[in-house]
C-alpha cells in the first residue's frame, strides 16, 4: 500500500462532516431564545410559550421581550430585542400580525439567526395579510434570517428538551420527525401519541410556510441521525420543486409518509381557505409523491403504523403476502383487505406445500392463507413459519393468532423471536383478543415485530410497504438510453420554433392539426401522412396521391375537437366520396354558425377541450372557422387507441397523461398521470398504472405491442413538453398501438394531434416552470485533451450507470483513496444501490459532469472522469469533488473539469465553492491553486480545505 493511504482519513472525513452547519440548527438547537410577546396573562399564548421554554430545559437561555414589564414569570424582561446583551439564535414571536414586519426588521438588525412566528392573521386573512407577509420576507432577506410560520403552533425538539410551542404538553422523545401544516392537528396528535407511546425526534407546526417549507425540513430531518422516519400532515404543497427535490434524496434512506387532506373537491376548498394556498389536483399530487418516493396514506393511524413498521422491518420486494393463521375467518378477512389494497396472496410453492404436509394435520388449508388449525401450539407455529419464510414465492409474512383452548399467545410470541429479522421479507403479527394476548404483543414489539389487533390493518400496512418499495424502485431502476440516429436531424428544434413563432405572430393560440403533427414528427413521433386541401379539387388530388380509402377532416385555426362539429368523414373510397365529405364538413360548420353566431356552445366545452381563441363577443365567420380540410389515409384500427397528452397544473406546472384514447376517453377515464421529464423506466411505470397496460402486453392470443418502442415514444413526447415551454396543452388522440399479426409487424402511429399555445400577453419569464428540473443540456460541450483525443463534457444521467461500472474498474487504489479518503473495494463501489446515488441526481441540488469519449470506429463510449458540485442545504455554498481515470491522468482533464464546475457554479448562483483535499494529494492542490482557490489547513491535520468565492 502506498505511503499516503492513511487509515486516519476516515476519522478526518467524519470530523469535517460534523463541522458542517445548517441554518435550521438555530431553530432546533438554539443556545439563546427570545420570546417576543412574553406575558404573565393566564391562558395567553405569550405566557404559555415562555412557560414551556423555561420548564423544559434545553441547555440554552431564555429572554422575555415585553416593553411594559421589568420581568415576566420572574425572569428579567427587555423592552426590545436590541437590548439583549447576548446574540440571539431564535426569536419566538407572538404579537399581533401588523407588528410582525417591524419586529422581524429589529431581529435582522440585531443579528438574530431564526424566528418562529406564532401569530395568525396573514394570507389566510386575505389581501392585507398577504401584504404583511411580503413585508416580512423583504425584511428577512436583508439578514438571511430563517422563519417558520406564521400561523403555527411552534417547534419541539424532544430529544434536547426544546419546547417553543404553546401546546399543553411536551412530546415524548423518539425517532419520528413529525411536520404538520395544522397546529390544531398537532395538539390532537400530541394527545394521541401519549396514549400510543409514540415518540418524536422533532415535532414541527409549519403553518403558512412563508419561508421555511417542506423541502427545508425534509432535508434537515434527513440529515438528523436521530430521525428514522418523517411523517407529514399536508394541506398544500407550496414550493413543489423544493419538496420533490428534498424528498427524492431523503426517501432513499428514510421513509417519508404523508397524509394529504383535500382528496375531495369540498375538502380541497376547505384546505385552501385554511392555509390561503391553492390545493392543486389530487391526482397530480399522487403522481408527484410516486415520483419522489413518498408514501401517501389515508388515515392518521396509518401514518404512524407505517412509520413504525418501515423503521422496524425491511421493505418487501414484491406484493405477495403469506398469511399464517390458526383460524379461517381472520385469514379470509385479511385476504379481502390485502386484495383491496393492491396486494397479492403468495402462490405457495410445491416444495413448501410438501413441507407443510409433513408437519401439519391433514386438514390444514393446503393453500394461502395457511390455516394451521385452532389447536396449533407454539412449535407448530414456528415450524410453519420457518417453511413459509423460506418459500421463494413469498415477499412478506403475516402471522395471525386467535386465543383458543390450545393456544398459548405468550409462548408462541417467544418462539417467533428468532424470526424478527428475515432478510428481504417483513414479518407482521396480529395477536387478536384482549388482555390474554397483551404479554405476547409486548414480546413481539420488543423484537421489532409490529403487532396489530386486527389482521386487516396488518395487510393494509403490508400493502403500503410494498407501495413504498414500488415507488422507490421505479425512481432508481436503470433506464435505457433512447436510440437516436445522429444523422436523423431529430429533434428538429428549429422547425418547431418556426411553427410556434409563426402562429404567435398571427395571434393564434391553437395550432392546426397539420402543424401539430409537424411538431410531433420533429421529435421522432410517427404521424399519419397528412395533406392540406383548401378546395374540393385539392382534396381529391391529395386522396389520389395518398391512395384510397382516406379520411377527410376539418382544417381550422379555431376548432380542434373536430368530431364535435361533424368535422370528420371516414373510409372514403373514391373521388366523389371525398367531394361529398368536403361539402358535408363545410355545411356542418355553416349550420353551427347559423344557430350560434358566437359559437358559445363550443367555447364552454371544457378547459381541456378549448375550441376557440377569438373574442367570445364577436360573431364568427365561416372563413374564421373553415379553412379547408386535411386528407389522410384510412388506417385500420386493428390495435389499441391510446392518448398521450400534457396540460398545466397550477402547482406542478406541465404534467403528462397516458391512457385509453379514442372518442370515449372521458367515459373510460383510464389514465395515469406523471411529471416530466420521463425516462424509459418512468414511462413504463406510468403505463403500469392503467388498465390498458395489460392489453398492450398481449391478451387473448394477441402479441404484445412493441413496449420498448412505446416507452421511447413517451420519452420523446416528454422531451417535447420539456423543451417547448410555449406549449400550454398538447395531446395525441388517438395514438394507435398495433400489435404484430402475421405479416403485419405492428407499430405506433399518431392519427391526430392537438396543440394549444400560451396566451399572447404572457412573457417568457412568466411561463410555468417544471416541477422537476430536466436534463441541463446547456452544460454539454466538446473539448480536446492534450493528446488530441476529442471528448464530450456533459452532465451525468441515469443511463450512465453501466459506463460508471466500467469507469471504476480503471481506478487505482491511490485514486480511490484520494477521492473518498479511504479505500472502498471495487465490488462495493459498483453496487446498483451506490451508483444510483451517483447517476440519479437532482440537478437543482447538485451537478455532476462526466468526460465521455466515443471510439470513432466501434462507437463504444467510455467515461474518463467525473466531477461533482453539491449544494449544502440552506446555503449558497457548494462542495466539489473529482476523480480521473488513471489511464487518462496528466491530460488536462482535472483542470478542465474543475474549470467547468466553476462555470456551472456561477450560472447556478453559487456564492462559495469548497473542497476537502488530503494533505498529500498534491496534484489536486496544484489544480485548485491554478484556478484561484485559496488553500488552508483544517482542524484535522491530514486534510486541507480549498475555497473560492464566486461573488
Amino acid at each position: 500500500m502506498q505511503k499516503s493511504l492513511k487509515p486516519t482519513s476516515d476519522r478526518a472525513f467524519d470530523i469535517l462532516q460534523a463541522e458542517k452547519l445548517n441554518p435550521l440548527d438555530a431553530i432546533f438547537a438554539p443556545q439563546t431564545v427570545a420570546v417576543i410577546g412574553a406575558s404573565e396573562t393566564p391562558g395567553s399564548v405569550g405566557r404559555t410559550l415562555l412557560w414551556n421554554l423555561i420548564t423544559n430545559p434545553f441547555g440554552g437561555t431564555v429572554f422575555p421581550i415585553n416593553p411594559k414589564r421589568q420581568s415576566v414569570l420572574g425572569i428579567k424582561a427587555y423592552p426590545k430585542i436590541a437590548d439583549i446583551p447576548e446574540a440571539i439564535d431564535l426569536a419566538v414571536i407572538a404579537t399581533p400580525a401588523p407588528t410582525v414586519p417591524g419586529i422581524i426588521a429589529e431581529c435582522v438588525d440585531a443579528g438574530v439567526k431564526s424566528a418562529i412566528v406564532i401569530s395568525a392573521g396573514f394570507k389566510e386573512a386575505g389581501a392585507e395579510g398577504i401584504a404583511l407577509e411580503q413585508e416580512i420576507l423583504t425584511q428577512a432577506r436583508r439578514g438571511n434570517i430563517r422563519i417558520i410560520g406564521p400561523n403555527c403552533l411552534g417547534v419541539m425538539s424532544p430529544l434536547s428538551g426544546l419546547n417553543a410551542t404553546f401546546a399543553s404538553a411536551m412530546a415524548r422523545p423518539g425517532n419520528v420527525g413529525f411536520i404538520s401544516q395544522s397546529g390544531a392537528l398537532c395538539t390532537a396528535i400530541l394527545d394521541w401519541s401519549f396514549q400510543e407511546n409514540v415518540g418524536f425526534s422533532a415535532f414541527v407546526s409549519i403553518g403558512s410556510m412563508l419561508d421555511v417549507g417542506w423541502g427545508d425540513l425534509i432535508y434537515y430531518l434527513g440529515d438528523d441521525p436521530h430521525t428514522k422516519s418523517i411523517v407529514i400532515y399536508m394541506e398544500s404543497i407550496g414550493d413543489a420543486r423544493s419538496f420533490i427535490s428534498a424528498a427524492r434524496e431523503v426517501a432513499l434512506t428514510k421513509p417519508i409518509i404523508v397524509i394529504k387532506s383535500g382528496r375531495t373537491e369540498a375538502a380541497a376548498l376547505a384546505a385552501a381557505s385554511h392555509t390561503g394556498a391553492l390545493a392543486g389536483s389530487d391526482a397530480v399530487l399522487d403522481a408527484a409523491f410516486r415520483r419522489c418516493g413518498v408514501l401517501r396514506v389515508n388515515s392518521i393511524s396509518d401514518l404512524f403504523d407505517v412509520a413504525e413498521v418501515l423503521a422496524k422491518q425491511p421493505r418487501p420486494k414484491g406484493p405477495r403476502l403469506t398469511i399464517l393463521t390458526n383460524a379461517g375467518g381472520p385469514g379470509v378477512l385479511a385476504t379481502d383487505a390485502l386484495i383491496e389494497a393492491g396486494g397479492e396472496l403468495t402462490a405457495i410453492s410445491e416444495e413448501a406445500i410438501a413441507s407443510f404436509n409433513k408437519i401439519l394435520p391433514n386438514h390444514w388449508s393446503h393453500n394461502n392463507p395457511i390455516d394451521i388449525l385452532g389447536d396449533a401450539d407454539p412449535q407448530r407455529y414456528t415450524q410453519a413459519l420457518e417453511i413459509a419464510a423460506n418459500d421463494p414465492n413469498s415477499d412478506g409474512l403475516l402471522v395471525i393468532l386467535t386465543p383458543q383452548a390450545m393456544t398459548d399467545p405468550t409462548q408462541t410470541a417467544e418462539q417467533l423471536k428468532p424470526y424478527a429479522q428475515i432478510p428481504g421479507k417483513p414479518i407482521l403479527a396480529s395477536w387478536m383478543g384482549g388482555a390474554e394476548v397483551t404479554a405476547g404483543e409486548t414480546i413481539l414489539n420488543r423484537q421489532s415485530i409490529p403487532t396489530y389487533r386486527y389482521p386487516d390493518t396488518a395487510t393494509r400496512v403490508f400493502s403500503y410497504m410494498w407501495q413504498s418499495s414500488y415507488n422507490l424502485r421505479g425512481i432508481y431502476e436503470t433506464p435505457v438510453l433512447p436510440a437516436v440516429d445522429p444523422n436523423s436531424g431529430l429533434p428538429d428544434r428549429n422547425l418547431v420554433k418556426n411553427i410556434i413563432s409563426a402562429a404567435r405572430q398571427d395571434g393564434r393560440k391553437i395550432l392546426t392539426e397539420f402543424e401539430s403533427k409537424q411538431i410531433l414528427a420533429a421529435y421522432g413521433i410517427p404521424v399519419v401522412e397528412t395533406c392540406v386541401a383548401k378546395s374540393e379539387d385539392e382534396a381529391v388530388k391529395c386522396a389520389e396521391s395518398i391512395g384510397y380509402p382516406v379520411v377527410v377532416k376539418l382544417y381550422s385555426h379555431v376548432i380542434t375537437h373536430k368530431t364535435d362539429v361533424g368535422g370528420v368523414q371516414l373510409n372514403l373510397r373514391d373521388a366523389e366520396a371525398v367531394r361529398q365529405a368536403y361539402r358535408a364538413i363545410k355545411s356542418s360548420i355553416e349550420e353551427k354558425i347559423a344557430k350560434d353566431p358566437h359559437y358559445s356552445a363550443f367555447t364552454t366545452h371544457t378547459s381541456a377541450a378549448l375550441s376557440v381563441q377569438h373574442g367570445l363577443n364577436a360573431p364568427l365567420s365561416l372563413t374564421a372557422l373553415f379553412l379547408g380540410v386535411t386528407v389522410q389515409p384510412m388506417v385500420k384500427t386493428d390495435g389499441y387507441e391510446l392518448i398521450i397528452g400534457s396540460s398545466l397544473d397550477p402547482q406542478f406546472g406541465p404534467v403528462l397523461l397516458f391512457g385509453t384514447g379514442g372518442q370515449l376517453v372521458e367515459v373510460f377515464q383510464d389514465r395515469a398521470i406523471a411529471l416530466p421529464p420521463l425516462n424509459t423506466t418512468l414511462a413504463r411505470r406510468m403505463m403500469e398504472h392503467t388498465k390498458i397496460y395489460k392489453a398492450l402486453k398481449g391478451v387473448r392470443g394477441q402479441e404484445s405491442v412493441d413496449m420498448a418502442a412505446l416507452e421511447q415514444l413517451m420519452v420523446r413526447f416528454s422531451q417535447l413538453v420539456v423543451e417547448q415551454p410555449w406549449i400550454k396543452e398538447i395531446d395525441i388522440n388517438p395514438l394507435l398501438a398495433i400489435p404484430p399479426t402475421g405479416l403485419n409487424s405492428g407499430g405506433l402511429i399518431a392519427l391526430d394531434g392537438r396543440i394549444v399555445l400560451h396566451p399572447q400577453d404572457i412573457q417568457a419569464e412568466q411561463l410555468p416552470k417544471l416541477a422537476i428540473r430536466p436534463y441541463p443540456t446547456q452544460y454539454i460541450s466538446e473539448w480536446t485533451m492534450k493528446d488530441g483525443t476529442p471528448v464530450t463534457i456533459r452532465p451525468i444521467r441515469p443511463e450512465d450507470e453501466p459506463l460508471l461500472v466500467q469507469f471504476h474498474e480503471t481506478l487505482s487504489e491511490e485514486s480511490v483513496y484520494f477521492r473518498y479518503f479511504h479505500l472502498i473495494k471495487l465490488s462495493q463501489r459498483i453496487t446498483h444501490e451506490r451508483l444510483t446515488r451517483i447517476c440519479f441526481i437532482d440537478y437543482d441540488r447538485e451537478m455532476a459532469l462526466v468526460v465521455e469519449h466515443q471510439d470513432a470506429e466501434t462507437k463504444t463510449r467510455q467515461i474518463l472522469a467525473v466531477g461533482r458540485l453539491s449544494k449544502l442545504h440552506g446555503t449558497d455554498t457548494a462542495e466539489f469533488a473529482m476523480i480521473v481515470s488513471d489511464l487518462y491522468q496528466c491530460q488536462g482533464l482535472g483542470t478542465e473539469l474543475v474549470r467547468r464546475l466553476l462555470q456551472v457554479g456561477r450560472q447556478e448562483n453559487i456564492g462559495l465553492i469548497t473542497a476537502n483535499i488530503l494533505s498529500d494529494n498534491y496534484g489536486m492542490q496544484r489544480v485548485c491553486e491554478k484556478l484561484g482557490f485559496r488553500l488552508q489547513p483544517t482542524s484535522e491535520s491530514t486534510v486541507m480545505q480549498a475555497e473560492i468565492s464566486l461573488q
Side-chain angles (χ1 to χ4, degrees):
M1 184 177 289
Q2 299 165 7
K3 181 180 178 180
S4 60
L5 309 190
K6 303 171 185 176
T8 54
S9 289
D10 277 346
R11 176 176 171 271
F13 183 78
D14 292 340
I15 290 173
L16 292 168
Q17 291 296 107
E19 288 176 351
K20 296 175 186 176
L21 297 177
N22 188 303
L24 298 191
D25 287 336
I27 294 174
F28 289 93
Q31 295 302 303
T32 50
V33 179
V35 181
I36 303 175
S39 168
E40 287 198 355
T41 304
S44 67
V45 172
R47 186 187 191 283
T48 306
L49 279 168
L50 182 59
W51 180 256
N52 283 345
L53 282 164
I54 63 177
T55 57
N56 293 279
F58 61 93
T61 308
V62 181
F63 299 90
I65 305 290
N66 188 321
K68 298 179 181 180
R69 299 185 64 90
Q70 295 295 314
S71 65
V72 180
L73 297 181
I75 305 172
K76 180 181 178 181
Y78 296 84
K80 54 184 184 294
I81 200 158
D83 297 327
I84 297 175
E86 297 186 36
I88 297 299
D89 291 331
L90 173 64
V92 186
I93 302 170
T95 61
T99 67
V100 175
I103 290 172
I104 292 293
E106 292 177 9
C107 288
V108 171
D109 294 338
V112 176
K113 297 177 183 177
S114 64
I116 299 172
V117 180
I118 304 294
S119 317
F122 292 91
K123 68 181 176 184
E124 74 277 3
E128 291 183 9
I130 293 173
L132 287 174
E133 287 192 351
Q134 292 307 308
E135 291 181 44
I136 292 173
L137 274 180
T138 300
Q139 295 298 329
R141 296 293 180 260
R142 290 194 299 119
N144 294 321
I145 187 172
R146 299 309 308 268
I147 299 173
I148 283 185
N151 189 16
C152 70
L153 180 73
V155 172
M156 293 183 195
S157 185
L159 294 169
S160 68
L162 177 73
N163 185 357
T165 75
F166 60 93
S168 59
M170 177 67 169
R172 295 179 188 272
N175 56 24
V176 175
F178 177 63
I179 315 169
S180 172
Q181 216 163 1
S182 166
L185 189 72
C186 278
T187 58
I189 291 290
L190 195 59
D191 287 344
W192 171 88
S193 70
F194 297 134
Q195 196 172 15
E196 297 295 324
N197 198 28
V198 173
F200 300 92
S201 57
F203 195 87
V204 185
S205 169
I206 200 170
S208 298
M209 299 189 299
L210 176 61
D211 174 40
V212 174
W214 300 116
D216 299 298
L217 291 169
I218 289 170
Y219 273 135
Y220 188 83
L221 295 176
D223 288 338
D224 175 28
H226 304 294
T227 299
K228 303 304 180 187
S229 57
I230 300 170
V231 298
I232 292 172
Y233 169 77
M234 178 184 290
E235 291 181 350
S236 63
I237 198 161
D239 186 343
R241 196 160 180 168
S242 173
F243 174 86
I244 291 173
S245 177
R248 284 179 72 195
E249 178 181 344
V250 174
L252 265 183
T253 54
K254 297 182 181 181
I256 302 174
I257 307 107
V258 173
I259 181 169
K260 166 67 171 68
S261 63
R263 279 191 181 274
T264 64
E265 186 175 348
L269 290 172
S273 63
H274 182 198
T275 63
L278 197 59
S281 163
D282 196 65
V284 175
L285 192 67
D286 275 341
F289 287 157
R290 287 195 300 271
R291 181 64 179 266
C292 59
V294 168
L295 179 64
R296 183 177 187 177
V297 300
N298 297 323
S299 70
I300 292 172
S301 60
D302 286 343
L303 195 67
F304 290 96
D305 281 343
V306 174
E308 177 194 22
V309 73
L310 289 177
K312 290 181 175 180
Q313 290 288 324
R315 289 184 176 92
K317 296 179 180 179
R320 302 166 300 181
L321 180 66
T322 301
I323 301 173
L324 194 68
T325 177
N326 69 341
V332 173
L333 290 174
T335 300
D336 284 343
L338 176 70
I339 303 304
E340 288 174 5
E344 300 174 13
L345 279 176
T346 302
I348 306 299
S349 67
E350 292 183 6
E351 294 82 359
I353 288 179
S355 298
F356 283 129
N357 285 335
K358 293 177 182 178
I359 61 121
L360 296 179
N362 292 334
H363 299 297
W364 77 280
S365 59
H366 292 83
N367 209 335
N368 190 12
I370 300 167
D371 185 352
I372 62 175
L373 305 181
D375 61 349
D377 58 13
Q379 184 180 8
R380 190 186 298 172
Y381 261 102
T382 54
Q383 288 177 328
L385 182 58
E386 175 76 23
I387 296 168
N390 290 325
D391 187 347
N393 291 354
S394 175
D395 299 311
L397 302 159
L398 169 60
V399 182
I400 302 173
L401 181 145
T402 60
Q404 300 183 39
M406 300 290 291
T407 307
D408 187 339
T410 304
Q411 191 57 35
T412 301
E414 281 285 352
Q415 294 290 324
L416 297 187
K417 286 165 61 174
Y419 301 92
Q421 295 296 323
I422 303 171
K425 292 184 183 182
I427 177 170
L428 314 179
S430 178
W431 256 224
M432 301 180 68
E436 190 176 349
V437 301
T438 302
E441 286 182 314
T442 302
I443 292 168
L444 293 170
N445 284 321
R446 284 176 179 168
Q447 289 298 121
S448 295
I449 299 177
T451 62
Y452 306 91
R453 283 295 170 97
Y454 304 107
D456 54 339
T457 304
T459 54
R460 186 169 67 247
V461 169
F462 172 80
S463 295
Y464 277 132
M465 296 177 76
W466 159 238
Q467 185 181 331
S468 176
S469 297
Y470 179 84
N471 290 351
L472 289 174
R473 188 187 300 174
I475 299 171
Y476 295 107
E477 281 184 8
T478 306
V480 177
L481 190 65
V484 178
D485 181 355
N487 300 317
S488 67
L490 300 176
D492 190 343
R493 297 180 179 90
N494 287 331
L495 173 63
V496 176
K497 179 181 178 181
N498 293 337
I499 293 172
I500 291 175
S501 297
R504 297 188 75 244
Q505 288 174 5
D506 290 345
R508 290 190 288 126
K509 288 195 304 183
I510 297 177
L511 301 187
T512 65
E513 178 189 355
F514 183 72
E515 291 169 326
S516 299
K517 287 179 177 176
Q518 282 184 299
I519 289 177
L520 294 173
Y523 275 82
I525 296 171
V527 298
V528 68
E529 181 182 357
T530 301
C531 180
V532 176
K534 297 186 177 180
S535 68
E536 288 184 30
D537 290 339
E538 288 184 10
V540 171
K541 186 177 180 180
C542 285
E544 291 176 347
S545 174
I546 292 171
Y548 294 103
V550 296
V551 176
V552 172
K553 299 181 183 179
L554 170 67
Y555 179 61
S556 173
H557 283 169
V558 178
I559 303 170
T560 62
H561 289 268
K562 297 172 283 292
T563 305
D564 297 344
V565 295
V568 179
Q569 299 287 322
L570 303 173
N571 204 25
L572 308 176
R573 297 188 170 277
D574 53 39
E576 182 56 31
V578 170
R579 292 182 185 278
Q580 290 179 5
Y582 186 99
R583 292 192 291 267
I585 291 172
K586 184 177 181 180
S587 298
S588 176
I589 301 301
E590 289 174 335
E591 291 175 10
K592 302 297 182 185
I593 294 173
K595 292 180 181 178
D596 185 357
H598 295 278
Y599 223 49
S600 60
F602 303 98
T603 60
T604 58
H605 191 266
T606 65
S607 60
L610 179 64
S611 296
V612 299
Q613 40 113 92
H614 293 286
L616 300 184
N617 295 322
L620 296 173
S621 64
L622 177 64
T623 55
L625 300 176
F626 180 81
L627 300 178
V629 298
T630 62
V631 182
Q632 304 164 25
M634 182 70 193
V635 179
K636 290 183 179 180
T637 56
D638 295 337
Y640 303 101
E641 291 188 332
L642 307 175
I643 181 171
I644 300 177
S646 174
S647 60
L648 289 181
D649 180 82
Q651 289 184 313
F652 291 93
V655 297
L656 303 173
L657 177 143
F658 171 88
T660 303
Q663 294 184 16
L664 299 179
V665 60
E666 286 91 356
V667 175
F668 289 126
Q669 291 287 305
D670 176 29
R671 64 188 182 189
I673 291 174
L675 301 179
L678 295 180
N679 56 37
T680 54
T681 295
L682 293 171
R684 185 177 70 255
R685 288 300 173 106
M686 189 178 180
M687 290 187 278
E688 287 174 358
H689 281 88
T690 62
K691 295 176 182 177
I692 193 69
Y693 176 70
K694 290 183 179 179
L696 294 174
K697 292 182 67 178
V699 292
R700 295 185 177 179
Q702 280 197 325
E703 294 288 330
S704 167
V705 304
D706 189 339
M707 299 302 291
L710 183 54
E711 289 169 10
Q712 298 207 12
L713 184 147
M714 291 175 67
V715 171
R716 291 194 292 271
F717 183 84
S718 165
Q719 183 184 5
L720 165 57
V721 171
V722 165
E723 293 184 352
Q724 303 300 331
W726 284 106
I727 293 178
K728 181 181 180 183
E729 298 175 22
I730 176 172
D731 64 52
I732 305 171
N733 185 24
L735 174 74
L736 191 62
I738 307 169
T741 53
L743 298 177
N744 183 358
S745 61
L748 304 166
I749 188 166
L751 300 186
D752 204 348
R754 184 182 73 94
I755 294 178
V756 179
L757 304 179
H758 284 285
Q760 298 293 318
D761 56 356
I762 194 171
Q763 301 299 313
E765 59 272 13
Q766 297 174 303
L767 291 172
K769 300 294 189 294
L770 293 158
I772 298 173
R773 183 173 178 176
Y775 186 74
T777 55
Q778 69 269 31
Y779 296 133
I780 303 175
S781 61
E782 306 302 317
W783 190 69
T784 304
M785 296 195 303
K786 288 180 180 179
D787 64 0
T789 302
V791 295
T792 300
I793 301 179
R794 59 168 176 80
I796 203 167
R797 56 192 174 212
E799 294 87 352
D800 286 329
E801 184 178 339
L803 296 182
L804 258 293
V805 172
Q806 299 171 14
F807 170 74
H808 275 274
E809 292 172 347
T810 70
L811 299 178
S812 67
E813 284 190 348
E814 182 179 59
S815 293
V816 172
Y817 174 76
F818 279 161
R819 168 62 179 87
Y820 299 108
F821 287 29
H822 59 281
L823 292 177
I824 308 175
K825 293 180 179 179
L826 175 64
S827 59
Q828 295 173 321
R829 297 201 311 270
I830 63 175
T831 62
H832 173 68
E833 291 73 20
R834 183 175 183 276
L835 290 181
T836 56
R837 297 177 178 280
I838 295 173
C839 299
F840 294 73
I841 66 171
D842 180 344
Y843 300 111
D844 265 339
R845 198 192 68 79
E846 61 182 331
M847 195 68 65
L849 299 180
V850 299
V851 180
E852 179 187 78
H853 171 64
Q854 184 175 47
D855 187 276
E857 295 183 2
T858 64
K859 303 302 180 183
T860 57
R861 297 180 299 121
Q862 60 177 324
I863 287 176
L864 314 184
V866 182
R868 187 172 300 265
L869 194 64
S870 302
K871 297 178 184 177
L872 301 183
H873 302 153
T875 72
D876 67 347
T877 300
E879 289 184 327
F880 89 84
M882 184 193 69
I883 188 166
V884 179
S885 168
D886 288 68
L887 301 174
Y888 297 94
Q889 292 177 6
C890 302
Q891 291 289 329
L893 279 181
T895 301
E896 184 61 24
L897 202 49
V898 176
R899 182 183 288 115
R900 297 294 179 95
L901 290 175
L902 292 176
Q903 292 174 358
V904 169
R906 291 186 180 96
Q907 294 189 46
E908 298 293 322
N909 298 314
I910 299 297
L912 182 72
I913 292 180
T914 66
N916 293 319
I917 306 171
L918 288 173
S919 301
D920 46 3
N921 188 352
Y922 304 115
M924 192 69 244
Q925 292 175 38
R926 284 195 296 271
V927 168
C928 288
E929 288 177 326
K930 186 191 309 183
L931 294 174
F933 282 81
R934 183 168 62 93
L935 294 177
Q936 56 190 358
T938 68
S939 58
E940 175 59 41
S941 61
T942 61
V943 179
M944 302 286 289
Q945 184 177 64
E947 182 178 292
I948 187 170
S949 174
L950 301 184
Q951 294 179 338

